[in-house]
Amino acid sequence: MGGAVGDAAGGPQNATDREVAQEQAYLDLLYGRLDDIRSRAARTLDDLRRQSSSNTPAGRAEKDAFDALHTERVAQLDAVEDRLAFGRLDMTGGERRYVGRIGLSDEGQQQLLVDWRAPAAAAFYQATAASPSGVARRRHLATRGRTVTGIDDELLDATGLNAADLTTVTGDGALMTALTEHRTGKMRDIVATLQSEQDVIVRAQLTGVLVVQGGPGTGKTAVALHRAAYLLYTHRERIAKSGVLVVGPSPVFLRYIERVLPSLGETGVVLSTPGQIFPGVEATAPERPEVAMLKGDLRMARVIREAVRQRQLLLPRPIPISIDGEQVVLRPAAVAEARSRARQTGRPHNEARSTFVKHLLDDLAGQLARSRRLENDPETRQDLGAELRDSVDVRREINLRWMPLSAEKFLDKLFSDPARLRAATEGRLSKPEGRSLLRESGSPWTQADVPLLDEVAELIGPDVTASAAAARERARAAAERAEAVRYAQGVLQMSGEAAAMMTADMLAERFEGPGGSLTVAERARDDRTWTYGHIVVDEAQEVSPMLWRTLARRVPSRSMTIVGDLAQTSSAAGATSWGGALDPIAEGRWRVAELTVNYRTPAKIMGPAAAMLTATGVTVRLPESAREGDWDPSLIEVPGEPAALVDAVLSALTADEAALGGGQFAVILSRAQSIGEVSERIRKSLLASEYAGLADRVGVLSVDDVKGLEYDAVTVVDPAGIIAASPRGASDLYVALTRPTQRLTVVHHGDLPTGLSRS
């Protein structure tokens, strides 16, 4: 960072004040342009409405199209208005480039503001003193609303600045300012402070699976979200019309990150937990670790496949059926042949069923035709087929051999029927493993069930009747689509800058007919077969092999950004190596990029946390902390009674508030404590008047809830209990200990875990 340099006209403060005033004038220009775009878009919409007859389909389509475009653009402009411009590049040749959340040009198409994702802005993140890339000075602008409140400069190449410019190199560091600010409970974008190693990952090529490995606090999540925004900008034609799926570990985490992409001007994104990926299911019930591990095992794919095949039954003996007094026979050989032909189609169960049914009806129609001596009359054979379809007895007997299935009913029946479960698991799982899957019918779904539901749905296919109706609807929509795109292209040509972030295909989807008003995200969320342009998976080390199969179906191109830290794996079904996790779905198509700097957790906290994990035998590659920190961790030993634990927690929270004067705090408990007496007492105690103003900023959470989150101060309760609560409890404790940005308190009774005690 550069230090302040004085001048002959009154010293560094006067120089800095003048610079702030100049930046304010430019910011006013940018906001004026932003307001002008809004105004012109509204005027164009009014003109179009006056010119177009609302009584004609063309007029209505054009108006609806521009209305959708205007609404979309205004929403994007509103989202990026906060900190519209945040940086400036002074190039060695004298050029100045302002960098911001979107690109803006004046009436003469001269660039006023460069979108942070554009190639021209890359130097703002990647230039260094060792490799300045033509940048003399990088300036960070601090704003509140539309007002410049400060500037912060980095001098990269002094030879590229004239003497007057050198008088106003100032600042204490935008990054450090951001790191030490109080947290708000929502993740903020880091578009103004992306560091070089982060930006390289953000701008990495689209193809294949990019694994972003990094320890706690290295900004993995923020990098992945900014990468999603960058890819939507750079590859909009390829990605935007199919959307981006972001998978996070918990609803708490999704609420934490939900503002980041909108703040970067991107809204075509679906946020989901692993328990929400299967449409219509919200899987929140707990699962025993050993069962979760088994359900995540790839052997379950073989179990599910066999269970589906066992619903395609043979016939042990002939079954006579009466048709208006005449007898036909459902023959075992015909059923076997029908099943063989249906399976040979390679289609899902419900779709292949039509082949099975057709073959049996043909066989029965042939018998009926011979009985009536009509075998040489093709038209009569068709009538006989319809007659057979109308027979309740025929439908019943054929259905019993090959029933249409639904995923949820099928899996519920499989897990609640000992005989079916035993038949499906025999030779694929051990007998104790098979028995462990048994449960009551109607039991709530767990997160480990979701990949199995998806596996079933993939094997059985959609309901045939619904599928046929959907096919007819798609055909109708396709007939209208070409016309819709033509209107959209005309509207985009009329709208100029208002169309900067939308294509004709995207706009057409907004008004192409019934359901056309749904966004990409809304349609994708409800369609299990939807394929996305890109997928982001956070806390990817927790993903089971079966869940990877589900995610792979959502992105056949395997264009994925997955972020995680193998040292933080807590799920029994999670990954121990990236190769083991990804080779089954993308062998030879994945690569690893590593983040090495911890921006969140001070070294004074990170060291003891890593020592604890290392002492348990887990190999940790410790990221370098950007800060030493102001406070050592505090260890408080108390009796094991709930009252003593609660008193110690409240005392720690009070001390944190006194030291920090605000911010977001977390109390992290073991899974058992988080739903027990300790958590309930803490929550009730925080309602007392003496904690007014603090209670709303304290989260009382389990380890599962805090993955990916950060707080100004953290109190970890009963670290030994956290370790004992799961097979990978040491990794859980490592996660808990590395959440704070400032202060850590550990409340314990009895001995501390090995490693942590030595620290």
Side-chain angles (χ1 to χ4, degrees):
M1 294 292 175
V5 180
D7 66 2
Q13 185 58 53
N14 288 342
T16 301
D17 289 345
R18 287 195 301 273
E19 286 291 297
V20 170
Q22 291 173 14
E23 299 295 6
Q24 182 63 59
Y26 200 85
L27 192 65
D28 290 341
L29 170 66
L30 294 177
Y31 274 108
R33 180 62 178 156
L34 193 72
D35 292 339
D36 181 57
I37 292 173
R38 283 196 183 94
S39 177
R40 287 193 300 106
R43 288 198 303 272
T44 305
L45 177 61
D46 290 339
D47 291 343
L48 184 62
R49 283 176 170 163
R50 284 193 296 271
Q51 295 168 12
S52 300
S53 168
S54 62
N55 296 321
T56 67
R60 288 195 299 272
E62 286 179 344
K63 287 190 297 185
D64 289 347
F66 195 83
D67 199 14
L69 173 62
H70 173 68
T71 301
E72 178 84 8
R73 186 57 168 162
V74 168
Q76 291 167 336
L77 296 178
D78 287 343
V80 302
E81 180 160 344
D82 182 37
R83 294 184 293 170
L84 174 66
F86 52 78
R88 190 183 90 187
L89 291 173
D90 294 348
M91 311 304 289
T92 54
E95 176 193 0
R96 286 183 173 178
R97 298 177 192 167
Y98 282 85
V99 180
R101 294 169 179 276
I102 59 171
L104 287 176
S105 302
D106 63 15
E107 295 288 357
Q109 298 307 304
Q110 180 178 350
Q111 194 81 43
L112 300 175
L113 185 64
V114 178
D115 191 298
W116 69 275
R117 296 165 288 191
F124 185 78
Y125 304 106
Q126 297 179 9
T128 64
S131 179
S133 301
V135 178
R137 174 173 55 190
R138 173 168 45 218
R139 168 164 290 180
H140 295 266
L141 305 177
T143 61
R144 182 176 295 110
R146 296 190 175 198
T147 302
V148 176
T149 59
I151 57 177
D152 185 271
D153 287 337
E154 294 173 87
L155 184 60
L156 303 182
D157 184 359
T159 63
L161 291 178
N162 60 39
D165 287 331
L166 282 171
T167 64
T168 53
V169 176
T170 183
D172 296 321
L175 176 61
M176 286 303 159
T177 299
L179 295 182
T180 55
E181 285 180 340
H182 284 158
R183 271 43 191 172
T184 64
K186 294 288 186 181
M187 176 178 275
R188 294 168 293 191
D189 67 73
I190 59 170
V191 65
T193 57
L194 268 176
Q195 299 302 291
S196 180
E197 73 169 3
Q198 296 174 326
D199 187 69
V200 169
I201 293 173
V202 167
R203 297 174 192 269
Q205 65 181 12
L206 171 66
T207 56
V209 179
L210 177 62
V211 181
V212 184
Q213 161 75 35
T218 51
K220 299 183 296 295
T221 299
V223 166
L225 295 175
H226 285 68
R227 175 165 164 75
Y230 170 79
L231 293 175
L232 282 164
Y233 172 87
T234 307
H235 305 280
R236 189 166 298 279
E237 288 280 355
R238 180 172 173 181
I239 294 177
K241 62 184 177 182
S242 51
V244 172
L245 173 65
V246 176
V247 181
S250 69
V252 176
F253 175 84
L254 295 185
R255 289 193 293 272
Y256 176 62
I257 69 168
E258 64 186 355
R259 295 181 184 175
V260 175
L261 284 166
S263 77
L264 299 173
E266 299 297 349
T267 57
V269 177
V270 175
L271 302 181
S272 175
T273 68
Q276 298 168 332
I277 287 178
F278 192 85
V281 169
E282 183 87 18
T284 59
E287 184 73 271
R288 289 170 292 158
E290 65 274 14
V291 177
M293 184 174 183
L294 178 59
K295 289 181 176 179
D297 194 305
L298 287 177
R299 290 178 296 164
M300 289 301 298
R302 296 168 52 207
V303 170
I304 297 298
R305 177 173 292 277
E306 180 59 26
V308 170
R309 289 175 68 86
Q310 288 179 2
R311 299 299 299 274
Q312 302 161 1
L313 303 178
L314 295 175
L315 192 64
R317 62 181 185 281
I319 297 179
I321 302 174
S322 177
I323 306 294
D324 290 336
E326 296 178 87
Q327 192 174 83
V328 294
V329 178
L330 190 63
R331 301 180 302 116
V335 172
E337 176 66 18
R339 187 176 77 165
S340 176
R341 291 189 181 186
R343 287 178 171 177
Q344 287 171 8
T345 66
R347 294 187 296 172
H349 174 94
N350 287 342
E351 295 177 13
R353 181 176 179 274
S354 62
T355 299
F356 178 81
V357 171
K358 181 179 184 301
H359 182 78
L360 290 181
L361 288 177
D362 284 348
D363 184 73
L364 295 175
Q367 295 180 41
L368 199 56
R370 288 190 294 273
S371 173
R372 297 178 180 178
R373 298 182 180 178
L374 299 171
E375 58 266 38
N376 295 322
D377 187 343
E379 291 186 7
T380 301
R381 287 283 294 268
Q382 290 183 0
D383 292 340
L384 294 178
E387 185 178 349
L388 288 164
R389 286 180 184 274
D390 289 339
S391 168
V392 174
D393 293 336
V394 170
R395 292 202 304 271
R396 180 187 66 250
E397 295 301 334
I398 291 180
N399 283 341
L400 287 174
R401 311 279 83 76
W402 193 301
M403 288 285 291
L405 304 173
S406 70
E408 292 179 59
K409 290 181 179 178
F410 175 88
L411 195 62
D412 181 67
K413 184 67 174 175
L414 176 63
F415 285 163
S416 61
D417 187 323
R420 285 189 181 180
L421 191 56
R422 186 166 52 252
T425 58
E426 187 174 3
R428 296 164 188 87
L429 304 178
S430 69
K431 290 182 179 179
E433 286 176 326
R435 288 194 294 268
S436 72
L437 296 172
L438 194 63
R439 67 185 187 189
E440 294 289 330
S441 179
S443 295
W445 298 116
T446 71
Q447 185 171 295
D449 290 324
V450 170
L452 306 185
L453 286 167
D454 200 73
E455 193 76 21
V456 174
E458 189 72 10
L459 291 173
I460 67 174
D463 176 85
V464 176
T465 303
S467 180
R472 289 192 295 271
E473 176 60 23
R474 285 195 298 269
R476 184 200 62 76
E480 296 180 353
R481 183 60 182 272
E483 189 71 8
V485 171
R486 186 177 69 81
Y487 285 131
Q489 290 170 337
V491 170
L492 291 175
Q493 290 171 358
M494 294 174 59
S495 58
E497 277 202 52
M501 300 180 77
M502 185 172 282
T503 67
D505 273 336
M506 293 163 59
L507 182 56
E509 288 173 352
R510 294 302 184 89
F511 63 96
E512 61 186 350
S517 61
L518 295 177
T519 65
V520 168
E522 289 167 336
R523 288 184 289 123
R525 186 178 289 109
D526 296 331
D527 185 353
R528 193 200 72 83
T529 64
W530 188 276
T531 56
Y532 292 88
H534 193 76
I535 286 183
V536 173
V537 184
D538 206 296
E539 301 295 338
Q541 74 277 358
E542 307 296 349
V543 175
S544 72
M546 285 300 294
L547 182 54
W548 279 122
R549 285 172 64 90
T550 297
L551 295 174
R553 293 187 190 107
R554 303 300 192 268
V555 57
S557 67
R558 299 299 189 270
S559 177
M560 307 171 77
T561 301
I562 73 170
V563 298
D565 178 16
L566 295 173
Q568 297 185 59
T569 303
S570 62
S571 169
T576 56
S577 72
W578 293 123
L582 297 174
D583 281 344
I585 64 161
E587 186 172 9
R589 299 173 64 185
W590 61 273
R591 62 200 188 278
V592 177
E594 188 155 8
L595 294 170
T596 62
V597 180
N598 183 340
Y599 299 101
R600 176 208 302 145
T601 315
K604 287 185 176 182
I605 296 174
M606 197 66 209
M612 178 281 303
L613 192 58
T614 301
T616 67
V618 178
T619 301
V620 183
R621 182 170 178 176
L622 193 64
E624 181 181 354
S625 291
R627 297 171 294 138
E628 180 66 18
D630 297 323
W631 292 276
D632 290 315
S634 177
L635 304 178
I636 303 176
E637 184 173 6
V638 297
E641 294 80 11
L645 291 172
V646 172
D647 287 345
V649 167
L650 296 174
S651 176
L653 292 172
T654 302
D656 290 336
E657 178 72 355
L660 299 177
Q664 296 289 315
F665 304 156
V667 179
I668 304 178
L669 309 163
S670 70
R671 292 175 177 86
Q673 288 175 325
S674 66
I675 58 174
E677 182 180 357
V678 173
S679 62
E680 186 63 24
R681 284 195 181 195
I682 294 172
R683 291 187 177 94
K684 285 184 177 179
S685 298
L686 287 171
L687 297 177
S689 58
E690 62 188 291
Y691 301 109
L694 178 61
D696 291 340
R697 294 185 283 110
V698 176
V700 183
L701 305 160
S702 74
V703 176
D704 293 332
D705 293 327
V706 298
K707 279 190 173 292
L709 308 185
E710 62 182 16
Y711 302 88
D712 294 277
V714 168
T715 301
V716 176
V717 180
D718 187 17
I722 291 175
I723 288 181
S726 73
R728 293 179 174 173
S731 293
D732 282 341
L733 181 56
Y734 182 62
V735 170
L737 295 172
T738 56
R739 297 307 96 191
T741 65
Q742 303 286 348
R743 288 168 58 90
L744 170 67
T745 302
V746 177
V747 176
H748 67 101
H749 58 88
D751 293 335
L752 281 163
T754 304
L756 189 60
S757 56
R758 286 201 300 271
S759 69

